[in-house]
Amino acid sequence: MQVLQNGRFAVSTWSLHRLLGAVYAYSPDPDKSAAPKEPYGPGAAALIDVPAALAARGINRLEVCSFHLPSLDTAYISKLRDAMAASNVLFQTLLVEDGDPSHPETAERDVEWMAEWIGIAATLGAQKMRVIAGKQKPTEENLTRAARHLRWLGEKAEGSGVRVVVENWFDLLPSPVEMNWLLDRLDGKVGLNGDLGNWAAPAKYQGLADIMRRAEICHAKADYGTAGLDAEDYRKCLEMCEKAGYAGPFTLIYDSPFFPDEWDGILLQKQFIEDFLREAPAVRTA
């Protein structure tokens, strides 16, 4: 039996949004403010301390939501990159949390704003930059518009060291039909971050089996009920990843009030996936 390597696990700062507290809503919309707000409380830790906290728990990959960056100044970006390096934590993905490349009126503005994040992602040392593919209904017109703008964005990132990826998320991509249509038209310019929790059961299982063959990274989001983690659902999602041949990293997404300490949920999900992969018929290592 092979041992699963810790290099196959990442954590998104969304999983720590109560711990981190303030958010900064960077946006292409000039009417929105990036001034700090505390919708999840004041927080108890700073982003720059997260890499060391990850390393202490045996995890060495991080994804950062754009709204968790307290500053975009070069000095801060350099300090955060240094903190990652000091803890031997890889900056896997910068998650750009606004913009809509499918919007009939603001798509061009939004994708140009997204392009500004490529340089930030590169300076941070991020391998990937996840953007929103689109929030509009999946009409042919909206899908075509999104594909055109996302292709442009992927081409803008060439040579930067940052790979642009999209996610099976929001109204534009409600099923594998739209997801595969979009990826086919991007010709490899943009990759896929598959999310286990964005589509609804029971249809999501076959949908994940379809798209995860194309995924480069995975948001391993678990559902929670009054009794805790929905083990049956989580296991089925992981089985679909296995069926699809997915062998990339799992980003642990904990998004529930079940555990007051977010680390408890994160580590429970890590253990669940480790146990699953040890029991799976074809265990793959990173």
Side-chain angles (χ1 to χ4, degrees):
M1 180 183 296
Q2 294 177 321
V3 178
L4 183 69
Q5 300 298 313
N6 282 331
R8 201 169 175 189
F9 288 101
V11 169
S12 165
T13 57
W14 177 248
S15 300
L16 297 166
H17 62 269
R18 296 196 302 270
L19 179 69
L20 292 173
V23 295
Y24 306 78
Y26 304 109
S27 174
D29 185 343
D31 293 330
K32 291 184 180 179
S33 170
K37 297 181 179 62
E38 296 181 349
Y40 314 112
L47 175 61
I48 207 158
D49 298 324
V50 169
L54 277 181
R57 292 165 172 84
I59 301 171
N60 64 359
R61 290 170 175 262
L62 178 63
E63 294 197 343
V64 176
C65 300
S66 56
F67 53 65
H68 279 140
L69 290 168
S71 173
L72 302 183
D73 290 344
T74 302
Y76 177 79
I77 296 297
S78 296
K79 286 180 181 178
L80 181 57
R81 183 168 182 163
D82 289 348
M84 302 278 286
S87 297
N88 195 29
V89 169
L90 173 71
F91 203 130
Q92 179 172 287
T93 316
L94 175 62
L95 306 167
V96 178
E97 303 286 11
D98 206 342
D100 183 357
S102 68
H103 197 284
E105 297 173 1
T106 60
E108 186 170 347
R109 178 201 71 183
D110 289 7
V111 79
E112 288 178 355
W113 175 84
M114 288 174 170
E116 295 173 6
W117 286 90
I118 296 169
I120 297 170
T123 304
L124 283 165
Q127 286 188 332
K128 302 180 189 296
M129 183 178 92
R130 193 273 281 134
V131 299
I132 295 167
K135 299 179 181 180
Q136 307 307 304
K137 296 298 181 183
T139 64
E140 183 177 356
E141 182 181 8
N142 290 336
L143 281 160
T144 300
R145 183 183 301 109
R148 182 175 71 253
H149 288 304
L150 289 167
R151 186 184 183 95
W152 175 84
L153 186 65
E155 291 172 349
K156 287 286 285 186
E158 290 177 355
S160 69
V162 177
R163 168 84 164 155
V164 176
V165 297
V166 292
E167 186 175 334
N168 53 312
W169 193 22
F170 287 116
D171 285 355
L172 189 74
L173 303 173
S175 81
V177 173
E178 295 82 10
M179 187 75 256
N180 284 318
W181 186 97
L182 181 65
L183 292 173
D184 287 345
R185 279 147 188 82
L186 292 172
D187 294 324
K189 300 288 186 182
V190 174
L192 173 62
N193 168 41
D195 191 295
L196 306 186
N198 285 346
W199 289 343
K204 74 171 179 178
Y205 303 122
Q206 189 54 48
L208 290 170
D210 190 337
I211 69 165
M212 289 306 294
R213 62 192 168 87
R214 309 181 75 160
E216 301 172 15
I217 51 178
C218 171
H219 279 175
K221 186 185 299 176
D223 286 337
Y224 286 77
T226 56
L229 187 148
D230 185 338
E232 181 180 0
D233 174 78
Y234 211 29
R235 186 174 292 106
K236 282 184 180 178
C237 289
L238 295 172
E239 286 172 353
M240 295 305 103
C241 292
E242 190 77 10
K243 180 179 179 180
Y246 178 73
F250 290 100
T251 302
L252 303 164
I253 305 289
Y254 173 68
D255 183 12
S256 168
F258 187 81
F259 291 108
D261 186 336
E262 289 162 309
W263 286 113
D264 289 340
I266 290 167
L267 295 177
L268 174 66
Q269 292 173 205
K270 178 175 182 286
Q271 186 64 56
F272 190 101
I273 297 173
E274 287 177 326
D275 291 346
F276 170 84
L277 289 172
R278 288 192 186 98
E279 297 165 2
V283 177
R284 287 179 276 270
T285 57

